[in-house]
Amino acid sequence: MSSTSAIQPPVSAPEKSDKKSGKHLQMFMNLVVLILSVMLIVWISFDTFKNTPFMQNTSYMTFQFWVCVFFMLDFIVGWIYAENRTKFFLHRLVFLLLSVPYLNIINYMGIHLSHDALYFVRFIPLARGALALSIVMGYLSSNAITSLFVSYISIMLLVCYYCSLIFYSREYGVNPEVDTYWTALWWSFMNLSTVGCNISPVTVAGKIVAVILPISGMIIFPLFTVYLTNFVTNTIKKNHSKNSDI
């Protein structure tokens, strides 16, 4: 093997500066995405408890539109600073699809969907926020396993809360077993844990959520085992290394 093939071209100072500034900009964009997602969660929660028709709420529709625009801008910034733009586009395509303001498009084009379908569409930008949360957790943690664990825990809690809102919105007043939001939250957590609950959904949206929650739980909860196994293994290795040094 020739010596020239093994030599890596040095990275210039301007290139290092661009990469560092790009990383800081993407971190800032992801933090803003999280803040906007929290604002959407609060707004959706308030409308759910007040039973406000969100499609007729001009303020919410306008805010949701500009939030989605910022989400798409975040994708573009990440693509610009990516080392491999093709790989970035393919791996983050779902981020772009989740950033599209579908509610505004449906409303503008006059597309008629059921109220259940519209309520599910309303949560699409929040799924984008959940993915942003996993990225931010990856930045904050130096340990890959811990970062993955915290990210999935955060996503699990968000899924539980989102599904409880959907279940409460569609089942309250229809299902006599759902008398308060806390009942819906307890139902959501029990189904996410795959233990199950004695409350049976009666609406289409409630039945869909009842399928989504156990599947999410079966995917996420095994990570507890992986994390605990990794933690115990690392602890044993550290103890052995300390004992050998004595």
Side-chain angles (χ1 to χ4, degrees), residues 107-236:
N107 191 38
Y108 178 78
M109 298 183 66
I111 300 174
H112 296 286
L113 295 177
S114 66
H115 193 73
D116 289 343
L118 286 174
Y119 204 82
F120 276 105
V121 173
R122 193 184 190 192
F123 279 85
I124 291 178
L126 299 184
R128 172 67 182 88
L131 292 177
L133 177 62
S134 64
I135 294 177
V136 172
M137 289 300 177
Y139 286 142
L140 298 178
S141 178
S142 58
N143 186 290
I145 300 297
T146 302
S147 173
L148 182 65
F149 178 73
V150 175
S151 299
Y152 274 85
I153 290 297
S154 303
I155 292 175
M156 181 188 71
L157 295 176
L158 289 175
V159 168
C160 182
Y161 181 68
Y162 296 164
C163 290
S164 69
L165 284 179
I166 295 174
F167 188 76
Y168 175 75
S169 173
R170 309 317 306 146
E171 296 282 330
Y172 181 72
V174 179
N175 190 337
E177 296 179 323
V178 182
D179 52 352
T180 64
Y181 166 72
W182 303 110
T183 302
L185 182 62
W186 176 75
W187 176 89
S188 180
F189 177 77
M190 293 301 290
N191 278 276
L192 182 65
S193 66
T194 69
V195 174
C197 179
N198 59 351
I199 300 176
S200 300
V202 297
T203 63
V204 175
K207 292 177 181 178
I208 293 175
V209 171
V211 174
I212 294 175
L213 283 169
I215 294 176
S216 302
M218 286 187 291
I219 294 173
I220 295 175
F221 274 102
L223 291 173
F224 284 99
T225 305
V226 175
Y227 177 76
L228 290 175
T229 302
N230 179 76
F231 179 79
V232 172
T233 302
N234 290 338
T235 302
I236 293 174

Side-chain angles (χ1 to χ4, degrees), residues 59-98:
S59 300
Y60 172 79
M61 294 295 289
T62 302
F63 177 73
Q64 194 248 190
F65 172 77
W66 288 111
V67 168
C68 290
V69 170
F70 186 88
F71 287 176
M72 290 188 287
L73 180 62
D74 174 63
F75 177 87
I76 294 173
V77 170
W79 178 79
I80 291 174
Y81 285 98
E83 295 183 2
N84 189 328
R85 293 181 177 177
T86 302
K87 183 178 179 180
F88 177 89
F89 182 83
L90 294 176
H91 286 189
R92 299 288 183 87
L93 180 60
V94 64
F95 284 66
L96 180 61
L97 295 177
L98 292 174

